[in-house]
Amino acid sequence: MNTPMNTLAAPAESRARATEPRARFTDLLAAEWLKFRSLRSIPWVLGLSALAVIAAGLKSALYTRDHYTPGDGDPAVMAQVALNDAFNMASADILLLVAGGLGAIVIAGEYATGLIRTTLAAVPDRRAVLLAKACVLATAMLGFGLLTVGVSFGLTQAILSDVGIGRSLGDPAAFRYVAAAVLFGPVCALVGLGLGTLIRHSAGAVVGTVVVLFFLPSLVTERYRWTADLLHALPLPAFQRLARTSLAGLRPTDYPATVTGSWITFAAWALGSVAVATLVIHRRDH
């Protein structure tokens, strides 16, 4: 009795798949890193945004140095000015838009091109794929933040040291400022990743990320307790609080944000975005 060839081939293919080694998490990290750095626009976007942040800091520091007389001004106020010169709100906005946009594109772009189907077919564990992508994205933006903020801080404080107001990382307020600026990028990127997984459309995901991170804080005030709690629970206001050496000089409010609460906000958005994205990709694509 003759046995069809396709009948013999099927068990052979099944045995081959069964004996094929399961992808390790390090393999997924390597694959995601390869996909991330293969996007031609990323080096240009990161490079130009880094130059913009550093140039803005140098311009501010030079202006402060040229218009400040040593000994004048309140020391606490000048300490805040010196830190703001290193990484002001314009720089924070640039980092927010760049990191959030990249986070949205790295996942939504795969849905747009259909590459996500190949990835999920090759790796049955959808959650591991998403976690690997999140790790690569967060690490890349952390490195970007360390380099950009570190260079800007070093150069601007060296300039301001000529008039005696330059800050050192040994100062707890300065260290908190720099740490908040460095971590702000990964937080925004992971928020973009979460929204990109939900929306699955590149333009829609980027717009959604900008609305949540950039525009939503401007719609909420500290007038009432519940609105103040909502405002303080957003990443951009959390960074603004961490960037303040003190609350002196700000408009009085009955519900001020706290440093501890702001760090919790950072952690909650980063971990929550990854958790939501992991749940969505597991349920929707399984």
Side-chain angles (χ1 to χ4, degrees), residues 34 46-47 54 56 65 77 103 108 125 146-147 154 169 171-172 174 177 181 196 199 221 228 230-231 243 252 257 280:
L34 180 62
L46 295 181
I54 295 171
R65 185 195 65 181
V77 173
D125 192 346
L146 283 170
L147 177 63
L169 278 179
D171 179 0
Y177 195 114
I199 299 174
T221 69
L230 177 59
L231 181 65
V280 169

Side-chain angles (χ1 to χ4, degrees), residues 189-222:
L190 293 177
V191 172
L193 180 69
L195 290 173
T197 307
L198 287 171
I199 299 174
R200 298 188 173 196
H201 185 275
S202 297
V206 172
V207 170
T209 302
V210 172
V211 169
V212 171
L213 292 176
F214 188 75
F215 287 106
L216 187 57
S218 64
L219 303 178
V220 189
T221 69
E222 291 181 313

Side-chain angles (χ1 to χ4, degrees), residues 51-71:
L51 289 177
V53 169
I54 295 171
L58 290 175
K59 180 181 178 181
S60 296
L62 290 171
Y63 180 88
T64 300
R65 185 195 65 181
D66 294 341
H67 292 80
Y68 175 72
T69 301

Side-chain angles (χ1 to χ4, degrees), residues 11-237:
E13 292 177 359
S14 299
R15 287 192 299 270
R17 286 195 297 268
T19 58
E20 184 178 351
R22 184 178 180 180
R24 297 170 298 179
F25 192 69
T26 53
D27 297 329
L28 297 180
L29 290 174
E32 292 300 330
W33 169 244
L34 180 62
K35 287 191 288 185
F36 181 82
R37 68 184 181 88
S38 66
L39 295 175
R40 296 181 180 179
S41 60
I42 286 183
W44 286 99
V45 170
L46 295 181
L48 292 176
S49 59
L51 289 177
V53 169
I54 295 171
L58 290 175
K59 180 181 178 181
S60 296
L62 290 171
Y63 180 88
T64 300
R65 185 195 65 181
D66 294 341
H67 292 80
Y68 175 72
T69 301
D72 291 347
D74 181 85
V77 173
M78 297 316 300
Q80 185 68 64
V81 170
L83 292 176
N84 289 343
D85 285 346
F87 191 81
N88 55 29
M89 284 310 302
S91 299
D93 291 340
I94 292 173
L95 185 57
L96 179 154
L97 296 174
V98 170
L102 285 179
I105 289 173
V106 294
I107 183 67
E110 287 200 34
Y111 280 106
T113 59
L115 179 60
I116 192 67
R117 291 193 294 270
T118 302
T119 300
L120 297 182
V123 183
D125 192 346
R126 275 88 165 128
R127 289 171 292 192
V129 171
L130 197 285
L131 288 176
K133 191 179 294 291
C135 288
V136 168
L137 178 64
T139 301
M141 294 313 303
L142 181 63
F144 173 77
L146 283 170
L147 177 63
T148 304
V149 178
V151 170
S152 182
F153 181 84
L155 293 177
T156 55
Q157 301 315 298
I159 292 172
L160 296 176
S161 293
D162 293 342
V163 290
I165 59 174
R167 314 305 296 175
S168 168
L169 278 179
D171 179 0
F175 182 81
R176 187 183 75 203
Y177 195 114
V178 172
V182 170
L183 293 175
F184 188 53
V187 171
C188 294
L190 293 177
V191 172
L193 180 69
L195 290 173
T197 307
L198 287 171
I199 299 174
R200 298 188 173 196
H201 185 275
S202 297
V206 172
V207 170
T209 302
V210 172
V211 169
V212 171
L213 292 176
F214 188 75
F215 287 106
L216 187 57
S218 64
L219 303 178
V220 189
T221 69
E222 291 181 313
R223 180 175 300 180
Y224 308 105
R225 179 57 183 266
W226 71 272
T227 57
D229 290 341
L230 177 59
L231 181 65
H232 301 158
L234 297 174
L236 183 57

